[in-house]
Amino acid sequence: MDSATSETRTPLGASADNGLKIVVVGGFGAGKTTMVRSVSEIRPLNTEETMTQAGEAVDDISGVRAKTATTVAFDFGRITLDARNVLYLFGAPGQERFWFLWDRLFSGTLGAVVLVDTRRIDDSWYAIDRLEQHGTPFIVACNDFGGPAFTPEQVRKALDLDPHVPLVTCDARSRASSKLVLITLVEHVRALYADPARALRQELV
């Protein structure tokens, strides 16, 4: 997948009172680094390293053989919401050998985006399972890699998604598209907190 296009970023304020944390998770090569890079107003911190032949023995690269670098810790970006509130974005590594980092990243999280590559939809199972175990609100975003199109109903069935979990499509390279994903997540979290019974059902899934 091509890198996110560069855009003019808004200068940061000197300080903020409230920091809200969102985590972007998903399978290996689903576009998590690309999404954080495309939407962050600062130059993102990333821990990408060049992929080598040694990694092929432990990472499933089927479907992503054009990938040349991979995240080995996490990506970090920031979006200023207003003078007092900022949104911190953390992109989690997708390889199974780094999943032990996820529980720490989920701590204190407002919500999460599960980024899905529909060519490798099974790679999304672990992310959804861990988020449900943590009781962390999440939405699912299907990243457009130009492969076969699936209907929302097909994706929901394949992922066994709860009907209340929002499902959207996106292009992680696009800042506008990635922003819409984050807006959907924030609106979902707000709706959950406005309906305590619904929030409880989310935790019990």
Side-chain angles (χ1 to χ4, degrees), residues 4 9 34-42 78-79 89 172 174-176 178-180 182:
R9 309 294 186 181
T34 300
M35 175 170 281
V36 173
R37 183 182 297 147
S38 70
V39 78
S40 176
E41 67 188 11
I42 62 172
R78 166 177 163 154
I79 301 173
L89 303 175
S174 164
R175 191 177 190 195
S178 296
K179 276 186 175 181
L180 287 176
L182 299 180

Side-chain angles (χ1 to χ4, degrees), residues 4-205:
T5 56
S6 60
E7 298 182 38
T8 302
R9 309 294 186 181
T10 303
L12 295 178
S15 64
D17 296 327
N18 301 307
L20 306 173
K21 179 181 176 183
I22 285 178
V23 176
V24 182
V25 293
F28 181 44
K32 300 176 295 296
T33 296
T34 300
M35 175 170 281
V36 173
R37 183 182 297 147
S38 70
V39 78
S40 176
E41 67 188 11
I42 62 172
R43 182 176 181 178
L45 166 68
N46 64 64
T47 56
E48 281 194 318
E49 295 292 342
T50 302
M51 294 175 61
T52 65
Q53 289 185 337
E56 294 184 13
V58 291
D59 297 327
D60 179 10
I61 63 170
S62 58
V64 290
R65 293 190 177 277
K67 190 172 173 62
T68 59
T70 185
T71 300
V72 297
F74 60 84
D75 305 303
F76 173 77
R78 166 177 163 154
I79 301 173
T80 299
L81 301 179
D82 55 40
R84 301 184 61 184
N85 299 282
V86 295
L87 190 66
Y88 296 117
L89 303 175
F90 290 83
Q95 305 98 306
E96 183 174 354
R97 57 194 166 112
F98 295 122
W99 285 351
F100 70 93
L101 296 171
W102 286 19
D103 288 349
R104 289 185 177 274
L105 284 177
F106 292 163
S107 178
T109 299
L110 175 70
V113 174
V114 178
L115 201 57
V116 174
D117 177 355
T118 53
R119 302 170 302 176
R120 312 173 86 210
I121 201 164
D122 288 347
D123 290 357
S124 308
W125 274 102
Y126 183 78
I128 291 173
D129 179 67
R130 292 309 303 160
L131 290 167
E132 290 178 343
Q133 290 292 323
H134 274 261
T136 301
F138 67 92
I139 69 166
V140 173
C142 294
N143 195 10
D144 182 10
F145 283 90
F150 295 94
T151 66
E153 290 75 17
Q154 288 174 317
V155 175
R156 283 189 176 279
K157 183 176 180 180
L159 294 176
D160 193 25
L161 279 185
D162 184 278
H164 299 292
V165 175
L167 173 65
V168 298
T169 59
C170 71
D171 181 344
R173 298 168 298 181
S174 164
R175 191 177 190 195
S177 181
S178 296
K179 276 186 175 181
L180 287 176
V181 171
L182 299 180
I183 290 170
T184 300
L185 173 61
V186 171
E187 290 178 342
H188 175 55
V189 172
R190 183 167 55 187
L192 285 175
Y193 282 107
D195 182 356
R198 184 177 171 190
L200 179 60
R201 288 197 300 273
Q202 172 87 13
E203 293 178 359
L204 294 177
V205 169

